[in-house]
Amino acid sequence: MDAVPGDGSWLLLFVALPLVGLFATAALPSRRVEAIRTVGWVVPAAAVVVAGGLYARFNLAEAGRQFVVSFPFLRFSYPIVDPQAGTMGFQPVSAPFSFGIDGLSLPLVLMAALVTLAAALAARTEHRRVKTFFLFFFLLAVGISGVFLADNLIVFFIFFELTLVALYFLTAIYGGFGREKAATAFLVMNGLGSLLLFLGFVWIFRLTGTWEMGEIAVRLPLSDVPPGERWALFWLLVVALGVKLPLVPLHPWMLKVHREAPPAVVMLHSGVLLKIGAYGFVRFVLGFFPDLFPKAATALAAWGLLNLLYGAFSALVQNELRLVFAYASLSHMGIVLFGLAALNAAGLMGAVFQMVSHGLISALFFLLLGMIVERTKTSRLDELGGLYRSAPELSGLFVFAALASLGLPALSGFVAEFQAFYGLFLSPARDIALVGLLGLALSAAYNLRAATRTTFGAPRPEWGAMADLRPLEAVPAILLAAAILVIGIYPNVLALPLEATVADVLGRVGG
């Protein structure tokens, strides 16, 4: 894909805003709690406005990167030896700080900005070491803002690592009783995934001589690399990104983080950070190996089916709401693989829609769960029930999130799942899609089970005086619910920016 010239100031502003928030928070004294919280939501709100500006200025007809920004960053040399001549020289290497946005990254940037704002508003209930919390919150936002816009493997990896560092400390400091074990499991597994990813990037550089994603997408498929080496690199990236997605059986760390991290942090983890793995599948695995991906498509669809069914069956038997949503996330990431494995326009559109839709729905779930836990001090299904009597608005939004998650028509979940499954039914892996329909039935079962046991049933006396949705709580909940509804009613809001990029990707694959 060729880069398209454009005004890069909006892109730079989007990347810079979390840094502004980070430095502003660092400059404020710890005792200025309200000022810190205000910075915590004002800066993400400004980022949403900037993301909207990028959307408004985006050229729908262009498949390449737009608003491109590039300036010198890393310059170094490494030794090379010519064994035939017996000489040694030095090969100069440059890795510019380059950013750009295309139809794939734009929907994810919009979703990430909205979820970050909702999480910042949800974090206003955090009372422990508030300044430290928002410092790491903004560090996480810095990583998120850059990872979907990076046009260079080194730049991508730097922002990717920032998200790992920030999430580790947010979990280890502010999580629940098992926070240290959860943070350690997260660090070990994601550290291993990062190591594999970095090895893959270095391997790609050795084969292509560049860190630029656009150049790699052109050079690597045309290189004379032996097939065995190309397959080894392909599966190395699949496993590395599979840790982040995550894929079964690389997922246990994710369950621990969902269970122990504070709800505002899990909103970002489940809503945005898991999508980095899915984004990497499209950008790196499919983008760099368009000739190999079709040969592995059935295997990847089968792996997606494993995620879909294992996550759905597991969610159905959980008594802890956090784990219900964690396994639901695992299941829904299987649908992303379904869409990618379809290798057609409907499937690829469905995969990206699923990334965005699940990001919004899971963020809404954990936002509401945080409110419930704050009021009841529990998230166990056998200890909840009858909340609709004292908190009808909160209960109504919870049911809305469950209906969106199970794929009710006119909501974003339906659009995403329909396209992903339709695309797979049109592919050679249609039998896998047929079996996958069981996962949709199970999704309805575990979502309705969680919603009805939480909100309906016999009311408990201890919840009789429970407060309903407060005005400051209603703002992020309504923002997320509105986005879910808009995408469900008018899917073109995402489909139009995606069309040119999807056509370009499939044209290179031969789809």
Side-chain angles (χ1 to χ4, degrees):
M1 299 180 192
D2 296 326
V4 180
D7 181 9
S9 58
W10 283 79
L11 208 63
L12 274 181
L13 182 58
F14 184 81
V15 176
L17 274 172
L19 281 173
V20 172
L22 181 67
F23 293 133
T25 302
L28 287 169
S30 299
R31 66 179 182 276
R32 300 281 307 277
V33 173
E34 281 306 312
I36 292 170
R37 287 176 176 156
T38 300
V39 171
W41 71 263
V42 168
V43 172
V48 171
V49 174
V50 174
L54 287 169
Y55 181 86
R57 288 162 174 76
F58 190 80
N59 187 343
L60 301 178
E62 295 289 348
R65 307 282 268 189
Q66 302 180 37
F67 310 106
V68 176
V69 178
S70 182
F71 49 90
F73 174 51
L74 287 177
R75 295 182 182 274
F76 57 93
S77 299
Y78 67 93
I80 55 173
V81 178
D82 186 344
Q84 295 181 345
T87 59
M88 185 179 75
F90 289 89
Q91 175 70 39
V93 178
S94 64
F97 226 77
S98 54
F99 300 98
I101 192 167
D102 63 5
L104 170 63
S105 49
L106 179 61
L108 295 170
V109 165
L110 291 167
M111 180 271 290
L114 189 59
V115 172
T116 302
L117 172 58
L121 291 169
R124 290 181 63 84
T125 59
E126 181 58 61
H127 298 287
R128 299 167 294 171
R129 300 169 64 178
V130 174
K131 179 175 180 176
T132 303
F133 179 90
F134 278 101
L135 285 172
F136 284 117
F137 182 91
F138 277 120
L139 183 63
L140 183 58
V142 169
I144 290 171
S145 68
V147 77
F148 294 124
L149 299 175
D151 210 12
N152 178 291
L153 294 183
I154 292 294
V155 176
F156 174 89
F157 191 77
I158 290 171
F159 283 101
F160 180 77
E161 290 301 294
L162 286 179
T163 66
L164 302 189
V165 173
L167 188 65
Y168 169 79
F169 284 105
L170 285 170
T171 303
I173 298 174
Y174 299 94
F177 182 76
R179 60 185 180 274
E180 293 181 0
K181 290 183 179 179
T184 300
F186 164 79
L187 188 63
V188 170
M189 283 301 299
N190 282 268
L192 178 59
S194 294
L195 175 61
L196 295 178
L197 188 63
F198 184 72
L199 290 175
F201 285 173
V202 172
W203 196 346
I204 289 171
F205 173 76
R206 185 182 66 83
L207 297 176
T208 63
T210 181
W211 300 104
E212 296 299 307
M213 296 180 191
E215 295 180 19
I216 293 168
V218 173
R219 294 183 190 181
L220 192 58
L222 300 177
S223 64
D224 56 355
V225 180
E229 184 176 356
R230 286 167 55 76
W231 276 113
L233 180 54
F234 177 92
W235 288 111
L236 176 67
L237 291 179
V238 167
V239 173
L241 295 166
V243 172
K244 191 67 180 175
L245 191 60
L247 296 175
V248 177
L250 307 172
H251 68 285
W253 67 268
M254 184 265 282
L255 305 177
K256 295 180 174 66
V257 172
H258 272 59
R259 183 165 188 167
E260 299 299 338
V265 174
V266 184
M267 288 173 66
L268 286 172
H269 175 244
S270 180
V272 181
L273 299 185
L274 299 187
K275 310 310 177 291
I276 298 175
Y279 172 78
F281 265 84
V282 184
R283 185 70 74 192
F284 306 138
V285 183
L286 177 56
F288 293 170
F289 301 94
D291 54 334
L292 299 185
F293 201 95
K295 301 174 185 177
T298 301
L300 292 174
W303 207 340
L305 180 64
L306 175 63
N307 257 55
L308 177 63
L309 296 183
Y310 175 82
F313 276 114
S314 299
L316 190 60
V317 298
Q318 300 302 317
N319 191 44
E320 166 62 55
L321 268 176
R322 289 173 179 263
L323 290 181
V324 172
F325 301 152
Y327 281 110
S329 295
L330 192 66
S331 182
H332 281 85
M333 290 304 96
I335 298 176
V336 173
L337 281 188
F338 272 21
L340 296 180
L343 286 176
N344 51 45
L348 191 52
M349 283 269 194
V352 179
F353 267 78
Q354 180 71 355
M355 296 180 209
V356 175
S357 174
H358 178 266
L360 297 170
I361 294 169
S362 64
L364 180 57
F365 261 137
F366 278 98
L367 172 67
L368 299 172
L369 177 61
M371 300 176 193
I372 292 171
V373 171
E374 181 195 6
R375 290 159 168 78
T376 66
K377 310 306 178 187
T378 184
S379 56
R380 292 181 59 86
L381 288 173
D382 59 359
E383 296 176 355
L384 295 168
L387 299 186
Y388 77 97
R389 292 183 179 274
S390 55
E393 295 173 359
L394 176 57
S395 299
L397 279 169
F398 196 88
V399 172
F400 173 88
L403 294 175
S405 181
L406 64 83
L408 184 74
L411 300 179
S412 62
F414 172 79
V415 179
E417 293 174 5
F418 176 82
Q419 290 187 100
F421 271 85
Y422 179 68
L424 197 61
F425 269 112
L426 296 178
S427 76
R430 61 182 63 87
D431 292 341
I432 294 177
L434 186 62
V435 178
L437 292 176
L438 174 61
L440 298 185
L442 292 171
S443 174
Y446 65 70
N447 277 295
L448 292 176
R449 173 177 174 266
T452 54
R453 290 199 178 187
T454 301
T455 59
F456 299 107
R460 291 177 175 266
E462 57 266 39
W463 315 142
M466 192 179 85
D468 203 356
L469 207 62
R470 305 181 184 107
L472 284 178
E473 295 173 328
V475 173
I478 292 172
L479 284 174
L480 293 172
I484 293 167
L485 188 61
V486 168
I487 295 171
I489 294 175
Y490 185 66
N492 276 354
V493 72
L494 297 185
L496 291 177
L498 265 172
E499 281 182 351
T501 301
V502 167
D504 182 79
V505 170
L506 294 177
R508 295 178 59 243
V509 173

